[in-house]
Amino acid sequence: MYDIIIIGAGAAGMTSALYALRNGKKVLVLEGDSLGGQIATSPRLENYPSIKEISGEAFADNLFEQITDLGAEVEIEKAVRIEKLADKSFAVKTEYGEYAAKSVIIAAGVKHKHLKTKEDREDLVGRGVYYCAVCDGPFYKGREVAVIGDANTALQYALLLSGYCKKVYMYTLFDKFFGDESLVKALRAKENIEVRPNTNVVNFVGENELEAIEYTDKDGNLCRQEIPAVFVAIGQEPDNAAFANLVDLDAAGYIIADESCKTRTEGLFVAGDCRTKAVRQVSTAVGDGAVAATNASLYLESL
């Protein structure tokens, strides 16, 4: 029996573990994908207090080392259901087994939103269509690539790729960016980045791998560009359906909770990007983690 099971090993989940461990709790962290969450795929983290610049991967690695040194147990297993039992404890079921805890913190984060194309070419994901430039960009060194998106992640991807790709084409729905001005300024200064505003990518073309993209321009004309790789950064979406029996979800699928990080089920908390909130940044995820773990610890003391 664990004191606290934390679902998710991103910034919110690992911060939850940090605070719970420092409160003397026995902690298990479950992660169904990759350690570090979304931030681990970020080329540069430049807006975290006291750290001028660090890669997202290094930030996640440091946090992981910190919690494991304090005794956190970590299992790479996806949580598929949570049940609250008659004795007020929780059963967390995964793809491979079941774990028991007195309290649970959901810090499942969000996943990349996939671009819907007219032919639904999901078969090309990993074969020219990618959602992580940090992971897959180096395979296209010296070649032309494209980025789809207009916010911070897309801007970061374009800047990263411009460092080793021959040219980067950036497709945006509107004629403006929705990211940090410092990133926009840096992008405008890059000679090998070409922005194509007021465009809508409607299809991926290719047999076994991407050969081209089709898009409509501002006049509605259907255009085509031969390109070996495209990196999609159009936002994220939550994956909370597995927990809907114990939490309330809003229309977009986020877990409804205020700054206390408490859900409608006593002893069940939520932290990070998977909950309803106005701002989703590493700093707010870390803040949630601290709050959720502190309130979970207080809940345990009340039992």
Side-chain angles (χ1 to χ4, degrees):
M1 173 74 73
Y2 292 93
D3 291 318
I4 302 175
I5 289 178
I6 299 165
I7 298 172
M14 289 196 285
T15 302
S16 295
L18 174 63
Y19 274 72
L21 290 161
R22 287 176 60 84
N23 274 315
K25 307 307 178 189
K26 184 179 180 182
V27 174
L28 170 66
V29 180
L30 298 173
E31 173 55 56
D33 191 6
S34 57
L35 298 171
Q38 292 286 320
I39 192 58
T41 68
S42 177
R44 289 185 298 275
L45 175 60
E46 299 176 314
N47 60 355
Y48 194 83
S50 84
I51 299 176
K52 185 176 180 180
E53 180 181 329
I54 189 173
S55 72
E57 183 179 15
F59 178 84
D61 286 346
N62 290 344
L63 192 47
F64 179 75
E65 182 179 351
Q66 190 174 15
I67 65 170
T68 51
D69 283 351
L70 287 173
E73 296 180 37
V74 181
E75 297 290 345
I76 305 301
E77 299 182 30
K78 180 178 176 64
V80 297
R81 185 172 176 81
I82 307 171
E83 294 181 357
K84 188 168 187 181
L85 307 179
D87 64 358
K88 294 186 178 182
S89 68
F90 292 86
V92 179
K93 299 183 178 182
T94 73
E95 300 164 302
Y96 307 112
E98 182 173 316
Y99 300 92
K102 300 173 185 176
S103 180
V104 175
I105 298 172
I106 301 171
V110 291
K111 60 183 179 180
H112 294 293
K113 186 179 294 184
H114 282 213
L115 182 67
K116 302 300 181 183
T117 58
K118 65 181 181 181
E119 293 183 13
D120 194 24
R121 295 301 304 274
E122 287 293 310
D123 60 304
L124 292 178
V125 174
R127 298 180 178 184
V129 177
Y130 304 100
Y131 290 84
C132 176
V134 179
C135 314
D136 303 298
F139 294 119
Y140 296 89
K141 183 178 181 180
R143 304 178 71 183
E144 294 188 347
V145 299
V147 173
I148 301 172
D150 52 23
N152 279 342
T153 298
L155 290 163
Q156 287 187 326
Y157 280 3
L159 287 167
L160 173 71
L161 292 164
S162 70
Y164 49 76
C165 290
K166 180 180 179 181
K167 189 165 185 177
V168 180
Y169 297 91
M170 198 164 187
Y171 290 86
T172 65
L173 276 175
F174 306 101
D175 60 356
K176 60 178 292 187
F177 290 107
F178 299 90
D180 294 344
E181 186 57 37
S182 60
L183 293 175
V184 176
K185 184 177 180 180
L187 183 138
R188 298 291 190 192
K190 291 285 187 177
E191 294 184 356
N192 65 334
I193 297 179
E194 180 180 324
V195 180
R196 295 186 171 180
N198 299 306
T199 54
N200 181 28
V201 176
V202 295
N203 204 24
F204 299 133
V205 180
E207 290 295 328
N208 297 317
E209 58 185 36
L210 183 72
E211 298 171 7
I213 60 174
E214 292 180 340
Y215 65 95
T216 55
D217 63 17
K218 64 179 181 179
D219 298 318
N221 300 311
L222 182 64
C223 308
R224 176 185 171 113
Q225 182 183 5
E226 307 291 327
I227 202 83
V230 59
F231 297 87
V232 183
I234 57 173
Q236 296 85 33
E237 57 189 0
D239 186 17
N240 294 321
F243 317 124
N245 59 315
L246 295 179
V247 301
D248 293 323
L249 305 179
D250 69 5
Y254 291 94
I255 296 173
I256 297 174
D258 60 17
E259 298 303 314
S260 71
C261 295
K262 296 177 181 178
T263 71
R264 66 173 171 84
T265 298
E266 189 177 29
L268 180 60
F269 302 85
V270 59
D273 288 356
C274 63
R275 82 167 177 90
T276 51
K277 57 196 306 180
V279 179
R280 292 183 172 88
Q281 294 288 313
V282 176
S283 55
T284 63
V286 166
D288 275 7
V291 171
T294 300
N295 283 335
S297 297
L298 292 172
Y299 165 76
L300 292 176
E301 297 302 321
S302 72
L303 295 179

